[in-house]
């Protein structure tokens, strides 16, 4: 006996198999279709593989024992990511609708799932395209030699370097002061930074042009945006392997700390990373799959995309750590060289008496014979492992760590242009799915006139998003972006994914879903799919959700600030958020998460209270 909740009139809301066969020939004129299978796969690959694969996955590997993190990542990719991916592919292809239409067809009470996906896509798109604007700013500044973040700028009178830059580093100064002109607190807006506003306008304009005709235009763009990053990553890997210290970085990445496998946080972070790597619960994948032929092999698509996503994450981490190994070696050599010069000058020794090869021996000898003198020299500890283990994620990896490494390469402007073009393509292809996750639900909800062409609707969404994203173009914009990143795209996605699985398995009916797949691909899904859909994947998502919720409730809400007047400077200072930030967090995470149950409850109350049948049918 299988548990399936009552769902009256379901057969009336979804097309029958015969109707689908008839629509297959009729849809050529009124519903968009992919030009070919490669276009569809490239679009999905571009949507799933974004900036997070380049800068978050390597950081998690470093934080959780290097190669040891890849074991739970790959296991949960199989048990969590792939089943959810096929579920979204299959339900979109079967019902031929976007995220709102799909869940409303299954049950009107589930319309909130599609609305929640739309809200998350909109909120995340705001800050994601702001990162694109920052990438464009760095790309524009890469066409000069030397790169502007390489030397510290001079003071107005030209007698020395700006103190803030001297105390920190050129790359830190260019990021926090020149690019962001960051304030000391999130409460201090710092005013609008007009260069970033122009880049933000350019980013939204490029996105609007690419999405103006839906998949007809984005389907052409993905041939470049989804393939170019792989070419650039390969070029960087070849270049990285020729740099001193690259193999040290790769070895550090793949050396497993087996003890980390016993750490529950490692498994939970791996589960969360798998979840976000696939772009699940955004609504974009459901919309993309709805444009497929009804007999498209969506199971094969899910397996292909799973393999590509997992392999790309590992491949990108290898490339990133080849460069990080080079950066760590450069900093290690600078540290040793500085210590050697200090010892040579203090003891009036010949230049060749202390080298990098005999530094440790010479230092120990001098420390034993003249400890007082050595201690007064302020010799810096030089630890290669510590330099390699300095975990940096997100914008810090892209705009600080990588730019510092690139600045030390020969013909650095060329490598800088390649790097930021790659990041731009990664971000742009992901934003295609975000826009799809907003435009299609809005059309399904009939909020705006149906006669409006898709291009007009896309233009309105991009314009409204640009205005809202001006929040991130302030001096405090980096702090606001961190708030959005931490809360808008975390808890709501877990909630949406959980409700999606419950909706398909226990409301739509797993038996009906199995018959749909058999109709579409020619055979019934195996026991692996049955077990993951019914039990394993929902349990994994629930555990991640509860762990995340408990962790966030218990920890103090703090953020990192760039404050030249702080005692910790040039390190970032940790300060508590102001009390009003809880209201912002509720808007970003609470409202999308509660949309599903609140919408269902409101509809139930409406149907119970209304007396006129024509009102109840609205």
């Amino acid at each position: 006996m299988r548990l399936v909740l009552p769902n009256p009139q379901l057969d009336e809301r979804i097309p029958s198999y015969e109707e689908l066969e008839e629509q297959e020939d009729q849809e050529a004129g009124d519903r968009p279709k992919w030009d070919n299978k490669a276009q569809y796969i490239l679009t999905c690959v571009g949507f799933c593989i974004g900036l997070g694969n380049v800068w978050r996955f390597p950081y998690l590997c470093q934080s959780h024992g290097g190669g040891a993190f890849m074991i739970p990542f790959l296991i949960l990719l199989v048990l969590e990511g792939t089943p959810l991916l096929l579920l979204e592919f299959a339900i979109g292809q079967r019902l031929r609708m976007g995220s709102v239409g799909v869940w409303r067809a299954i049950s009107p009470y589930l319309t909130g799932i599609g609305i929640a996906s739309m809200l998350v896509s909109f909120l995340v798109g705001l800050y994601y395209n702001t990162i694109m604007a920052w990438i464009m700013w760095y790309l524009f500044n890469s066409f000069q030699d030397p790169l502007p973040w390489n030397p510290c700028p001079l003071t107005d009178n030209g007698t020395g370097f700006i103190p803030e830059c001297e105390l920190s580093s050129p790359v830190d100064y260019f990021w926090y002061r020149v690019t962001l002109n960051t304030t000391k607190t999130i409460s201090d807006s710092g005013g609008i930074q007009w260069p970033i506003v122009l880049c933000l306008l350019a980013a939204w304009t490029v996105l609007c042009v690419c999405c103006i005709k839906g998949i007809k235009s984005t389907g052409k763009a993905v041939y470049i945006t989804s393939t170019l990053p792989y070419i650039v990553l390969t070029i960087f890997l070849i270049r990285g392997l020729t740099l001193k210290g690259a193999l040290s970085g790769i070895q550090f990445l793949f050396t497993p700390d087996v003890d980390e496998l016993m750490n529950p946080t490692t498994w939970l972070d791996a589960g969360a990373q798998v979840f976000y790597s696939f772009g699940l619960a955004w609504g974009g994948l459901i919309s993309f799959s709805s444009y497929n032929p009804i007999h498209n092999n969506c199971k094969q698509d899910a397996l292909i995309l799973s393999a590509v996503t997992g392999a790309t994450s590992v491949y990108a981490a290898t490339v990133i750590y080849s460069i990080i190994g080079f950066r760590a070696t450069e900093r290690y050599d600078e540290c040793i060289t500085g210590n050697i010069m200090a010892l040579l000058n203090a003891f009036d020794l010949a230049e060749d008496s202390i080298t990098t090869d005999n530094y440790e021996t010479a230092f120990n000898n001098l420390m034993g014979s003249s400890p007082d003198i050595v201690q007064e020299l302020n010799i810096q500890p030089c630890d290669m492992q510590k330099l390699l283990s300095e975990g940096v994620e997100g914008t810090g990896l892209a705009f600080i760590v990588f730019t510092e490494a690139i600045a030390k390469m020969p013909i650095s402007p060329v490598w800088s242009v390649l790097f930021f073009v790659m990041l731009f393509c990664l971000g742009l292809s992901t934003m295609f799915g975000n826009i799809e996750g907003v435009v299609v639900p809005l059309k399904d909800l009939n909020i705006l006139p149906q006669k409006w062409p898709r291009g007009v609707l896309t233009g309105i969404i991009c314009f409204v998003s640009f205005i809202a994203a001006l929040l991130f173009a302030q001096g405090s914009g980096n702090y606001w972006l961190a708030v959005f990143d931490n809360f808008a795209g975390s808890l709501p996605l877990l909630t949406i994914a959980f409700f999606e699985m419950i909706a398909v398995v226990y409301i739509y009916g797993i038996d009906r879903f199995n018959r749909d797949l058999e109709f579409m691909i020619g055979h019934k899904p195996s026991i692996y799919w049955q077990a993951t859909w019914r039990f394993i994947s929902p349990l994994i998502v629930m555990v991640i959700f509860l762990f995340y919720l408990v962790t966030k409730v218990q920890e103090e809400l703090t953020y990192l600030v760039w404050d030249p007047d702080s005692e910790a400077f040039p390190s970032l200072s940790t300060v508590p958020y102001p009390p009003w930030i809880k209201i912002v967090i509720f808007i970003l995470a609470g409202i999308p998460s509660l949309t599903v149950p609140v919408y269902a409850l409101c509809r139930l109350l409406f149907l119970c209270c209304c007396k006129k049948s024509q009102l109840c049918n609205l």
Side-chain angles (χ1 to χ4, degrees), residues 15-24 94 519:
S16 66
Y17 296 155
E18 292 75 16
E19 291 173 332
L20 289 174
E21 295 282 10
E22 293 177 4
Q23 292 174 8
E24 189 75 14
R94 166 64 176 90
F519 166 73

Side-chain angles (χ1 to χ4, degrees), residues 531-546:
T532 51
W533 284 331
R534 296 173 195 236
F535 311 112
I536 299 175
S537 295
L539 181 61
I540 291 173
V541 172
M542 182 179 293
V543 169
I544 295 173
F545 172 84
L546 292 176

Side-chain angles (χ1 to χ4, degrees), residues 120 124 127 275-276 282 484-493 588:
V120 173
V124 172
Y127 80 80
F275 187 83
Y276 304 138
W282 302 84
F484 273 66
D485 187 34
N486 288 331
F487 298 101
S490 53
L491 197 65
L493 291 178
L588 297 178

Side-chain angles (χ1 to χ4, degrees), residues 71-91:
I71 297 173
F73 174 77
L74 295 175
I75 291 175
L76 293 176
L77 183 145
V78 173
L79 297 179
E80 173 196 11
T82 307
L84 281 168
L85 187 63
L86 177 55
L87 185 144
E88 291 202 353
F89 277 169
I91 203 68

Side-chain angles (χ1 to χ4, degrees), residues 10-304:
L10 174 60
D11 289 325
E12 299 176 10
R13 293 193 298 269
I14 64 175
S16 66
Y17 296 155
E18 292 75 16
E19 291 173 332
L20 289 174
E21 295 282 10
E22 293 177 4
Q23 292 174 8
E24 189 75 14
D25 298 327
Q26 300 173 359
E27 281 182 352
D30 59 2
R31 183 172 178 80
K33 285 188 176 182
W34 300 105
D35 291 344
N36 50 64
K37 185 65 169 284
Q39 189 181 83
Y40 166 63
I41 293 295
L42 285 175
T43 301
C44 291
V45 166
F47 175 56
C48 295
I49 297 171
L51 299 174
N53 295 79
V54 173
W55 62 37
R56 179 159 176 78
F57 182 80
Y59 166 76
L60 290 173
C61 287
Q62 179 272 323
S63 302
H64 295 295
F69 179 78
M70 296 183 188
I71 297 173
F73 174 77
L74 295 175
I75 291 175
L76 293 176
L77 183 145
V78 173
L79 297 179
E80 173 196 11
T82 307
L84 281 168
L85 187 63
L86 177 55
L87 185 144
E88 291 202 353
F89 277 169
I91 203 68
Q93 184 173 308
R94 166 64 176 90
L95 299 183
R96 327 293 293 160
M97 304 174 188
S99 57
V100 166
V102 160
W103 305 116
R104 184 167 55 190
I106 292 176
S107 173
Y109 290 95
L110 298 176
T111 305
I113 297 178
I115 296 175
S117 294
M118 179 187 68
L119 292 175
V120 173
S121 291
F122 175 74
L123 292 173
V124 172
L126 293 180
Y127 80 80
Y128 206 94
N129 223 36
T130 301
I131 298 175
M132 298 284 289
W134 293 342
I135 291 170
M136 294 181 77
W137 166 255
Y138 268 78
L139 178 61
F140 297 152
N141 278 280
S142 297
F143 293 95
Q144 50 186 305
D145 191 15
L147 292 170
W149 54 83
N150 191 9
C152 275
L154 297 174
T155 56
D156 293 337
N157 57 19
T159 58
F161 296 115
I162 293 179
E164 185 179 355
C165 183
E166 277 193 302
L167 290 173
S168 53
S169 70
V171 290
D172 286 321
Y173 181 81
F174 187 84
W175 170 238
Y176 288 109
R177 186 56 57 214
V178 178
T179 301
L180 303 176
N181 194 21
T182 189
T183 58
K184 298 178 182 179
T185 66
I186 191 173
S187 302
D188 180 10
S189 69
I192 293 293
Q193 309 303 312
W194 292 107
I196 299 302
V197 172
L198 294 177
C199 291
L200 195 62
L201 178 62
W204 281 106
T205 301
V206 170
L207 181 63
C208 182
V209 170
C210 290
C211 298
I212 200 76
K213 294 183 179 180
I215 64 170
K216 291 182 179 179
S217 52
T218 58
K220 303 295 189 298
V222 294
Y223 288 116
I224 297 175
T225 60
S226 295
T227 57
L228 186 60
Y230 287 96
I231 297 173
V232 176
L233 277 174
T234 303
I235 293 173
F236 264 102
L237 179 62
I238 296 172
R239 177 65 181 121
L241 291 175
T242 65
L243 297 172
K244 181 181 178 182
L247 293 180
S248 298
I250 296 174
Q251 182 181 5
F252 181 85
L253 172 66
F254 286 101
T255 301
D257 181 2
V258 182
D259 293 338
E260 280 291 329
L261 294 176
M262 306 303 294
N263 183 358
T265 306
T266 301
W267 288 84
L268 291 164
D269 282 349
Q273 179 62 20
V274 166
F275 187 83
Y276 304 138
S277 294
F278 280 97
L280 299 165
W282 302 84
L285 292 176
I286 294 177
S287 295
F288 288 152
S289 64
S290 70
Y291 304 129
N292 277 325
I294 190 60
H295 292 294
N296 172 65
N297 193 337
C298 52
K299 187 183 84 170
Q300 183 185 66
D301 298 342
L303 294 175
I304 290 173

